[in-house]
Amino acid sequence: MTEAAHEMVTLEDIGKGVGLLTLCQPEARNSLSLAMLDQLEARLREVVEQPAIRVVILAAQGKVFCAGHNLKEVQGQLGDDSAQLALFQKCSQVMQQLVKLPKPVIAQVQGVATAAGCQLVASCDLAVAAESARFATPGVNIGLFCSTPMVALTRNVSRKAAMEMLLTGEMISAAKAEQLGLVNRVVADAELGEATLSLAELVASKSPKTLAIGKEAFYHQVEMPLEEAYAYTSEVMAKNLKTLDAKEGICAFVEKRPPEWQGR
């Protein structure tokens, strides 16, 4: 077996500014074991180092997007407090890494995304789901409340909607997830890959410098009081205007021609 066959997470530059991150453990329902999280963390670092990649699609092999933490691994650590804490801290770090990544990430969701898998979707900037996809935070059903998934979930949907998912543990449909704001678009199963790629290519056609500035500003201001948010974003826009890409974009608009982004 080749080294690539052992990879739990792969990264591929598929052209037009799009990178494809793929969870590759369908036999384990792409569960977020510590090893899987380590590899996802490493691949995300690689994304930062590849300027040709402007937008990332996060996909998964098999019938399940991600079933959350590997419960067999969790069961094996029930007597090890430090190992349990390390797992949840690592997962939290990777979720924050997705948010802080200076490139947009789009989840491509098929099958189910449960617990930390639902958290993974919520931590991405955008999400496209197949019609048959389902979502849940079912930890309450096994006596382990989805406390860390709750952080990302409550930053995507309303409090009442989040609490219902967290307290009942019930599955919701892709259509319901779109209604709640957990995903952006729902498409026919057969069109999932094409629809996600189309969205990724659209975003990737923008200035990478502007995307990085905008993503950072979005997550920074969203937790601020209104007055502070406006003060902060006013400064961001003034600084953004000094970039070469902003100057190029304005000139291109006035001159009625396509912009030529420099990423600066």
Side-chain angles (χ1 to χ4, degrees), residues 161-172:
M163 281 298 284
E164 183 173 349
M165 289 182 66
L166 291 161
L167 293 174
T168 67
E170 292 184 341
M171 288 278 189
I172 64 170

Side-chain angles (χ1 to χ4, degrees), residues 82-95:
S82 61
Q84 293 168 17
L85 181 58
L87 173 63
F88 297 126
Q89 287 179 333
K90 171 65 72 172
C91 186
S92 297
Q93 290 168 7
V94 172
M95 299 302 167

Side-chain angles (χ1 to χ4, degrees), residues 6-12 20-33 35-41 43-44 57-68 94-95 98 107-110 112-113 116-118 120-121 124:
H6 289 284
E7 289 184 340
M8 297 179 182
V9 184
T10 59
L11 172 62
E12 180 184 1
L20 179 63
L21 268 175
T22 307
L23 307 182
C24 303
Q25 271 209 311
E27 70 282 0
R29 297 166 63 86
N30 295 308
S31 57
L32 297 178
S33 64
M36 173 75 90
L37 289 165
D38 281 339
Q39 288 203 15
L40 182 54
E41 181 181 47
R43 299 294 89 78
L44 288 171
I57 293 174
L58 179 57
Q61 292 180 354
K63 297 181 179 181
V64 173
F65 177 75
C66 179
V94 172
M95 299 302 167
L98 283 165
Q108 176 179 300
V109 189
Q110 84 287 358
V112 299
C118 186
L120 188 60
V121 175
C124 292

Side-chain angles (χ1 to χ4, degrees), residues 11-20 52-57 106 196-205:
L11 172 62
E12 180 184 1
D13 183 343
I14 58 177
K16 295 187 178 181
V18 180
L20 179 63
I53 296 177
R54 299 181 180 183
V55 176
V56 178
I57 293 174
I106 306 174
T196 309
L197 181 59
S198 177
L199 178 59
E201 289 179 348
L202 174 61
V203 176
S205 70

Side-chain angles (χ1 to χ4, degrees), residues 65-81:
F65 177 75
C66 179
H69 289 297
N70 187 315
L71 292 183
K72 290 184 178 179
E73 180 178 64
V74 172
Q75 182 186 35
Q77 297 172 345
L78 287 178
D80 189 337
D81 293 349

